[in-house]
């Protein structure tokens, strides 16, 4: 009997290990709303669709069909959302790369892209139609999830309209670099 006890312990241990090894966990799923939302912005660009040629122009999500080349410095884009949905246009005003605002620095005077609809839901893909350029004015409430932005209309608009915007509705403009249009003396 004494010889049987160690044998049973070893056998039970092997059975338990084999049983644990046989159970499989669910595969890792990467298709959540946040990743789909960011993937949409990474694959597409923002192109001007209203008030073209001005700082307060409206930008909409568009698919980049053709980059500029030697003879023609314009982008060929097809709008995915907004008032020109489905139309293909040639334009020079395209924002090719943006990043979400995170805990990184947002210095006063930095130009960012903000969602016009400003939905409370961070990943509300139904309200991705209209975006505007804005200038960071005040970040004292960034820890609460929102900052104050200015919306200048032209180079002489020193008292621009201001609005508090949720951080998840703001994106850094990476390419091309955009500067504040106002002329400071």
């Amino acid at each position: 009997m004494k010889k049987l006890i160690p044998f049973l312990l070893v056998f039970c241990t092997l059975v338990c290990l084999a049983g644990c090894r046989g159970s499989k966990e669910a595969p890792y799923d990467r298709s959540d709303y946040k990743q789909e939302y960011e993937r949409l912005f990474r694959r597409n660009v923002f192109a001007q669709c209203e008030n073209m040629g001005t700082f307060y122009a409206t930008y909409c999500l568009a698919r980049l069909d053709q980059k500029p080349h030697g003879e023609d410095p314009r982008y060929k884009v097809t709008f995915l959302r907004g008032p020109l949905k489905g139309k293909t246009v040639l334009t020079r005003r395209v924002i090719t790369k943006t990043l979400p605002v995170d805990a990184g620095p947002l210095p006063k005077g930095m130009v960012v892209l903000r969602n016009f609809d400003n939905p409370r839901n961070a990943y509300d893909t139904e309200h991705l139609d209209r975006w505007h350029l804005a200038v960071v004015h005040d970040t004292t409430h960034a820890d609460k999830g929102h900052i104050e932005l200015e919306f200048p209309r032209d180079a002489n608009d020193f008292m621009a309209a201001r609005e508090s915007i949720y951080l998840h509705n703001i994106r850094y403009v990476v390419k091309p670099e955009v500067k504040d249009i106002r002329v400071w003396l």
Side-chain angles (χ1 to χ4, degrees), residues 47-48 52 65-69 72-79 87-94:
Q48 286 186 357
M52 295 183 186
D65 295 332
Q66 181 182 348
K67 292 183 177 182
H69 54 279
D72 191 9
R74 298 177 296 177
Y75 292 89
K76 182 178 180 183
V77 297
T78 303
F79 286 97
K87 294 193 179 191
T88 302
V89 297
L90 293 170
T91 181
R92 291 183 179 161
R93 308 272 202 275
V94 173

Side-chain angles (χ1 to χ4, degrees), residues 27-99:
Y28 182 66
D29 185 19
R30 292 182 156 242
S31 61
D32 64 347
Y33 291 117
K34 184 176 182 180
Q35 290 175 347
E36 289 296 322
Y37 186 77
E38 285 304 317
R39 193 173 296 132
L40 182 68
F41 293 131
R42 253 186 286 130
R43 291 181 180 161
N44 299 300
V45 297
F46 290 96
Q48 286 186 357
C49 62
E50 292 178 341
N51 303 320
M52 295 183 186
T54 62
F55 187 80
Y56 57 90
T58 303
Y59 288 82
C60 291
L61 211 53
R63 182 182 66 240
L64 182 62
D65 295 332
Q66 181 182 348
K67 292 183 177 182
H69 54 279
E71 300 88 37
D72 191 9
R74 298 177 296 177
Y75 292 89
K76 182 178 180 183
V77 297
T78 303
F79 286 97
L80 302 174
R81 299 180 183 261
L84 298 179
K85 182 177 181 178
K87 294 193 179 191
T88 302
V89 297
L90 293 170
T91 181
R92 291 183 179 161
R93 308 272 202 275
V94 173
I95 296 175
T96 57
K97 186 174 181 183
T98 63
L99 292 174

